[in-house]
Amino acid sequence: MVDVLPLVEARLNTALGEPDARAAVTFLGTDRIEVLRFRQEDVVRYATLGMSGHPMADPTAVLADPVAGPRAELVLSVRAGVADTDKVLRPLAVLAASPQVEGLVVTPGASLDVGGPLWPGAPFTSVLVGEPGGLVEDLELDAPLDPVRFLPLLPMTPNEAAWKRVHGAQALQERWLANGTDLRDPTRGSVPLD
C-alpha cells in the first residue's frame, strides 16, 4: 500500500511553499494529524496533513474499505497579524480527525462545528467546507485509490451557521459574495442575514 502523506506534503509545498511551522496532534485511536503553517505576504494558511492517510468511510457501512473512498485534507486561509490564529491548530486537527473518530465523510457544502471559538476571541465556531481545486489542485493517486482533495474551510459565525442550515451552503456563499465579505478577515462580523 502506498503511503500518500509524503505525496500530499509535496503537493502542499508545491502550491503554498515551504511551511514555516508545523504541529502534530494524536487523538486516542487515531493516526497522527499534523497542521502545517504557510505564510504568503499578508495571508497565513493552515493545512492539515494526515486526514488523507485513509479513505473516509460511509458511517453506515458494515466494513470500511481500506483502499477505495474519498480522501481529503483541510486548508484554512486568514489575514496574518490580525488575531492569534495560531491557536487554530488543535481545532483543525480535531476536524481532520473526525473521519477516523466519528466516521464522518467531509464534503463540500458541509458544516463542521468545533464547539467553541476557532482561536481565542474568534467570532467563528464552525466552518463551511468549500469546493476543492482552487488553491491546491487535487492529487491524483494510482487506481484504485481516489484522489486527495484539498478542501478550503470558510469560517462561519454562529448566526451564519444557523442561517446556512435553513437556506443551504450556496445561499450563504451568495450572500457573502453579494456583500463583498472578506472571508479571510479573522475578526469580521456576520454578514447581514435579513
Side-chain angles (χ1 to χ4, degrees):
M1 177 55 72
V2 64
D3 183 3
V4 304
L5 298 183
L7 303 173
V8 169
E9 185 168 3
R11 175 58 54 95
L12 286 168
N13 292 348
T14 299
L16 305 176
E18 289 293 320
D20 71 341
R22 62 193 316 142
V25 179
T26 305
F27 302 100
L28 187 62
T30 68
D31 292 338
R32 178 171 124 140
I33 301 287
E34 288 189 83
V35 179
L36 311 180
R37 183 180 70 193
F38 302 87
R39 290 197 184 273
Q40 295 178 323
E41 297 174 18
D42 67 335
V43 174
V44 62
R45 301 185 197 283
Y46 301 93
T48 63
L49 178 63
M51 182 177 170
S52 62
H54 301 283
M56 293 181 276
D58 180 347
T60 61
V62 177
L63 278 176
D65 189 323
V67 177
R71 294 174 187 261
E73 295 291 353
L74 308 174
V75 180
L76 173 70
S77 300
V78 293
R79 298 248 173 261
V82 181
D84 188 12
T85 57
D86 279 351
K87 298 285 195 300
V88 77
L89 300 177
R90 185 166 178 78
L92 272 183
V94 168
L95 295 178
S98 60
Q100 289 183 58
V101 174
E102 302 172 28
L104 185 67
V105 177
V106 179
T107 58
S111 298
L112 302 175
D113 196 301
V114 296
L118 285 174
W119 53 82
F124 317 108
T125 57
S126 61
V127 293
L128 175 65
V129 180
E131 291 290 334
L135 185 62
V136 183
E137 288 183 30
D138 292 354
L139 173 63
E140 296 294 331
L141 301 172
D142 293 336
L145 302 179
D146 286 22
V148 176
R149 302 170 86 197
F150 297 88
L151 303 172
L153 300 180
L154 310 172
M156 292 189 294
T157 65
N159 286 346
E160 289 170 339
W163 196 85
K164 182 255 176 196
R165 281 192 292 277
V166 174
H167 300 281
Q170 184 65 36
L172 178 58
Q173 290 175 313
E174 288 170 4
R175 181 66 56 115
W176 282 335
L177 190 61
N179 285 276
T181 305
D182 180 1
L183 296 175
R184 293 179 181 166
D185 180 354
T187 61
R188 74 170 180 84
S190 187
V191 71
L193 298 170
D194 51 354

